[in-house]
Amino acid sequence: MTVGQEFHAFAASLESEIQLLRDAEKYLYAVNMGATAIGTGSTCPRATRKMRRAPRQTHRKAHRAADDMLAATWDQQGFVVYSSALKSLAIKLSKIRAI
């Protein structure tokens, strides 16, 4: 194996990790922001629409209202998925550094 082949393997591996992070980020786009304590917006519908637009305008990401606002209040799946992607990247970088 040549040094060039080794660096090519590193690059290909890191590209897959970057794609994994991008895919995992999408789990964070569903938000329960609805302008009330639990995000349903049932008591203030006008504020709900404004609050749901705010993250999209600020971050230029595809934030959207969660399918179930109550479940989104306590669910941590997006953070777990993204954390796993970061851990995978950290492991990959530590292997490259060790070589």
Side-chain angles (χ1 to χ4, degrees), residues 58-78:
T58 305
H59 302 293
R60 308 259 190 285
K61 299 287 185 178
H63 288 95
R64 61 177 176 75
D67 296 330
D68 186 326
M69 295 294 186
L70 298 175
T73 300
W74 60 266
D75 189 15
Q76 299 296 309
Q77 181 185 25

Side-chain angles (χ1 to χ4, degrees), residues 11-89:
S13 182
L14 290 176
E15 284 176 10
S16 70
E17 292 298 322
I18 290 168
Q19 186 58 49
L20 183 62
L21 283 168
R22 288 184 178 143
D23 293 341
E25 179 184 24
K26 293 173 186 170
Y27 285 89
L28 297 173
Y29 291 165
V31 293
N32 72 328
M33 194 177 294
T36 59
I38 58 172
T40 62
S42 62
T43 58
C44 51
R46 286 186 191 147
T48 299
R49 287 192 294 274
K50 288 180 183 178
M51 292 300 294
R52 290 180 184 164
R53 283 194 302 260
R56 187 175 301 167
Q57 293 168 347
T58 305
H59 302 293
R60 308 259 190 285
K61 299 287 185 178
H63 288 95
R64 61 177 176 75
D67 296 330
D68 186 326
M69 295 294 186
L70 298 175
T73 300
W74 60 266
D75 189 15
Q76 299 296 309
Q77 181 185 25
F79 298 110
V80 172
V81 169
Y82 200 76
S83 174
S84 297
L86 287 172
K87 185 174 182 178
S88 178
L89 173 63

